[in-house]
Amino acid sequence: MKVLLINGSPKAKGCTYTALAEAARELEKENIETEIFHIGNKPIRGCMGCGGCNTSNKCVFNDDTVNAAIEKAKTCDGFIFGSPVHYAAASGALTSFLDRVFCASGKSFSYKPGAAIVSCRRGGATAAFEQLNKYFTISNMPVVSSQYWNMVHGNTPEEVKQDLEGMQTMRVLGRNMAWLLKSINAGREAGVNLPEKENRVATNFIR
């Protein structure tokens, strides 16, 4: 089993990475393979709603890290998405990234556990955390929780490590993710099938 941890910060080894790495260490202790995937620090364009991904399951734009993440997602069993807090929201780059990833290949995430973590200096963490969780709840993904909201505080990696409660929250998150993945795998081996899917119904509110 493998968990893909997405670092949505422009900094490859900053505060967000520090939190993700703490969760990853706990997953590794539980014999869950991990990979921290950095979205990079180059511009990531937003979704254009062109529909080009409907048949290819990849984004028509291939000049950033979106399609690379989609390919990795196909073979992963769980996901943790991490973001710094920018203006009480997830980073703009990660928001554009996730819009395109989920639009192009939402089925690669269905029925796989997901979790979000956010890193901030002081405020806005709750709003950013709620924003990221919406990707899971529209994609049939079990949401993994911890003993507190998944957030750390600090302006540098060193300060984040001093947030003892935040770092403990990351460790508990990692263990909870491992537990859920193993539970799902045990169910699969016992013959528990995925929920029956219905044909999608789309209702517009303008008549």
Side-chain angles (χ1 to χ4, degrees):
M1 289 177 284
K2 181 176 180 178
V3 172
L4 184 66
L5 300 95
I6 303 288
N7 179 4
S9 170
K11 299 177 180 178
K13 295 291 180 73
C15 296
T16 302
Y17 171 85
T18 302
L20 289 172
E22 190 75 356
R25 276 189 284 272
E26 292 302 313
L27 286 161
E28 295 282 354
K29 290 178 183 178
E30 296 289 337
N31 297 314
I32 306 292
E33 183 183 354
T34 66
E35 178 182 351
I36 298 180
F37 181 90
H38 184 221
I39 69 170
N41 56 15
K42 295 180 180 179
I44 298 178
R45 72 179 85 206
C47 180
M48 303 293 288
C50 68
C53 59
N54 290 339
T55 55
S56 64
N57 293 319
K58 64 179 182 180
C59 186
V60 297
F61 300 119
N62 202 30
D63 55 356
D64 52 34
T65 54
V66 167
N67 283 328
I70 287 173
E71 285 303 309
K72 290 180 180 293
K74 293 176 182 178
T75 58
C76 288
D77 304 287
F79 305 90
I80 301 178
F81 299 94
S83 179
V85 175
H86 293 168
Y87 291 95
S91 74
L94 182 63
T95 300
S96 294
F97 178 92
L98 292 179
D99 283 353
R100 288 169 52 207
V101 163
F102 277 88
C103 184
S105 192
K107 66 180 183 180
S108 298
F109 298 87
S110 293
Y111 305 109
K112 297 178 181 180
I117 69 102
V118 294
S119 169
C120 73
R121 183 190 69 82
R122 185 170 179 85
T126 302
F129 181 62
E130 290 176 349
Q131 175 190 346
L132 292 174
N133 276 283
K134 291 173 183 175
Y135 290 96
F136 314 141
T137 56
I138 200 174
S139 303
N140 292 305
M141 297 176 69
V143 180
V144 184
S145 61
S146 185
Q147 65 186 19
Y148 196 77
W149 297 301
N150 307 332
M151 56 186 70
V152 296
H153 291 77
N155 202 39
T156 65
E158 291 71 27
E159 289 182 358
V160 168
K161 291 175 183 177
Q162 295 176 46
D163 178 9
L164 300 183
E165 183 176 2
M167 294 296 274
Q168 184 180 62
T169 300
M170 296 302 110
R171 293 193 297 274
V172 173
L173 176 64
R175 291 194 291 271
N176 288 352
M177 172 69 81
W179 169 77
L180 185 54
L181 285 172
K182 292 177 181 180
S183 297
I184 291 172
N185 188 59
R188 185 185 299 114
E189 292 178 348
V192 178
N193 297 319
L194 293 176
E196 180 182 353
K197 294 188 69 174
E198 296 186 16
N199 292 328
R200 187 72 177 262
V201 176
T203 303
N204 298 330
F205 294 98
I206 298 176
R207 297 290 185 261

